[in-house]
DNA sequence: AATTTCAGTGTACAAGTGTAAGCTATTTTA
DNA sequence: TAAAATAGCTTACACTTGTACACTGAAATT
């Protein structure tokens, strides 16, 4: 049971996935990619596509998973850098901007499908982003000893701001990206500062009550 | 020169625009709308479309302008409500959520085309959003006597947060929307508070120097 | 009143789409 | 070793798409 067949199958499956990823660009979204084009780019006959995915939708969801994986790698990378010291916010933004530069098309996929026409796609992307948010939430809760709800609100706002900046970065040149990064860092500081302030106020209210 | 002809032409132009708007939905984006479908919905022969728009792109850009108009109406409405007293943040979020409920498809258009495949569309949407942001920026600068850069950062962050909440609201039921609104209000308070704090700090640094 | 302009029509075509059906060669199973 | 399973192929079909072309009748211009 060496599985020489299953092995080959997995190989061409990857071929299809990579073909699709390669066709994605600023001018080309997944939804205006046709089954035939993907098959051709993979060096396959159109109908062979069905041996691996029942649908373009199924391929698309696979790509979103793939993108989520890349996103989690990004987080790991950021965490490693942070452990070596430095401003958490600055390093996070820097790392994210690097990610955009290297994985623009994957990020575009997430951005586009998040507001796309398929409920399944939207749900899949939101799931990936919520993993991202919850990890940050845990970190904030632990590092800053924040109330759970406040930590969530901060994490959610921060992710929103960073993703939006990432979206803007896609159409920006390196000069503009620099400015964008600076501004994003400032905005994240607003949020962090505001969250701390309001968390303390609640704390004080509580102790006054006792 | 009564223009009975020009009048009729304008009429069917509106017919086309409305037909397109009517076909937009959660499951149907502008980009997967065909010229023929729009023509059919307008009660026109496919080729008659060209008498009014050279392209589906041209129609699309018109729709984005239309959406921008609606957005500015929204701002006016919010301003009126605010003048009658109440929390600025709360009223703004409330008004925006109402907008989403009544103009979901127009908002979807903006969301989708902002990350779409056409540079012209992306630019058009960003232009509309930047009007929105700059108006808020002016308001903040005047009402809170903030530094111009800080006011811009706050306005930009606020708009990002609100749009993102709007995007989530599109897939939410009324119960979830309530929660979403509350959270958004909190997040906007974080940002406002943080912006004030950091603005003051800069102010203090300046007076220490003198 | 004669001429020009033009919004809207119908027909036609080439190109692209998803996918059904059946075949082949090779691996896997019995 | 014989039989079954299956990844990939070719052919075929019914649709949809954008748009070129020629035409018509009514409005606008002269």
């Amino acid at each position: 049971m060496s599985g020489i067949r299953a092995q080959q199958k997995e190989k061409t499956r990857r071929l299809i996935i990579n073909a699709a990823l390669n066709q994605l660009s600023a001018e080309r979204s997944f939804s205006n990619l046709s089954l035939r084009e993907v098959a051709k780019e993979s060096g396959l006959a159109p109908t062979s596509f069905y041996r691996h995915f029942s649908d373009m939708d199924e391929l698309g969801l696979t790509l979103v998973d793939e993108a989520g994986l890349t996103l989690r790698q990004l987080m790991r990378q950021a965490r490693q850098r942070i452990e070596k010291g430095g401003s958490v916010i600055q390093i996070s933004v820097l790392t994210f901007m690097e990610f955009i530069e290297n994985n623009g098309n994957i990020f575009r996929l997430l951005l586009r499908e998040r507001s796309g026409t398929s409920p399944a796609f939207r749900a899949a992307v939101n799931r990936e982003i919520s993993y991202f948010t919850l990890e940050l939430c845990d970190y904030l809760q632990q590092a800053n000893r924040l109330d759970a709800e406040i930590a969530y609100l901060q994490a959610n706002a921060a992710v929103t701001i960073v993703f939006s900046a990432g979206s803007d970065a896609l159409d920006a040149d390196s000069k503009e990206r620099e400015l964008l990064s600076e501004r994003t860092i400032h905005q994240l500081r607003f949020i962090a500062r505001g969250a701390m302030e309001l968390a303390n106020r609640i704390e004080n209210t509580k102790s006054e009550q006792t």
Side-chain angles (χ1 to χ4, degrees), chain A residues 3 22 25-26 40 61 69 93 98 102 111 129 139 153 159 161 177 186 188 191-192 200 203-204 209:
Chain A
N22 280 335
S25 72
K40 181 183 274 183
L61 290 174
L69 220 75
V93 170
E98 270 178 34
N102 301 329
L111 272 188
I129 293 179
Y139 174 85
L153 289 176
V159 168
I161 294 289
R177 279 185 204 194
H186 272 111
L188 293 183
I191 294 170
N200 285 340
E203 196 92 359
N204 292 340
Q209 284 173 341

Side-chain angles (χ1 to χ4, degrees), chain A residues 32-48:
Chain A
N32 51 43
L33 215 65
S34 78
L35 184 152
R36 288 177 105 109
E37 283 174 306
V38 173
K40 181 183 274 183
E41 176 87 4
S42 316
L44 291 177
T47 47
S48 300

Side-chain angles (χ1 to χ4, degrees), chain A residues 129-146:
Chain A
I129 293 179
S130 81
Y131 289 155
F132 200 78
T133 305
L134 287 179
E135 286 228 17
L136 177 56
C137 183
D138 281 353
Y139 174 85
L140 290 174
Q141 211 172 337
Q142 197 182 337
N144 303 347
R145 295 212 194 82
L146 281 182

Side-chain angles (χ1 to χ4, degrees), chain A residues 22 51 75 92 138 154:
Chain A
N22 280 335
R51 302 287 185 202
M75 285 194 295
S92 299
D138 281 353
Q154 181 181 349

Side-chain angles (χ1 to χ4, degrees), chain A residues 10 15 34 55 57 60 77 85 99 113 121 136 158 196-197 199:
Chain A
E10 181 58 25
L15 218 61
S34 78
D55 232 15
D57 274 19
Q77 196 184 340
F99 169 73
E113 298 312 327
F121 276 49
L136 177 56
M196 290 294 251
E197 277 288 318

Side-chain angles (χ1 to χ4, degrees), chain A residues 57-139:
Chain A
D57 274 19
E58 201 173 301
L59 170 60
L61 290 174
T62 307
L63 292 189
V64 172
D65 279 0
E66 200 89 349
L69 220 75
T70 319
L71 215 55
R72 262 165 269 150
Q73 283 173 3
L74 162 71
M75 285 194 295
R76 243 173 279 141
Q77 196 184 340
R79 230 176 285 137
Q80 279 176 359
R81 287 199 194 174
I82 288 170
E83 276 170 17
K84 288 181 184 166
S87 151
V88 174
I89 287 179
Q90 190 169 13
I91 288 177
S92 299
V93 170
L94 198 82
T95 309
F96 198 82
M97 286 300 183
E98 270 178 34
F99 169 73
I100 302 285
E101 200 141 359
N102 301 329
N103 304 82
N105 293 335
I106 287 181
F107 186 63
R108 266 185 264 262
L109 175 73
L110 291 176
L111 272 188
R112 285 170 175 160
E113 298 312 327
R114 183 160 62 142
S115 59
T117 52
S118 155
F121 276 49
R122 292 201 297 272
V125 173
N126 281 325
R127 188 160 37 78
E128 298 298 339
I129 293 179
S130 81
Y131 289 155
F132 200 78
T133 305
L134 287 179
E135 286 228 17
L136 177 56
C137 183
D138 281 353
Y139 174 85

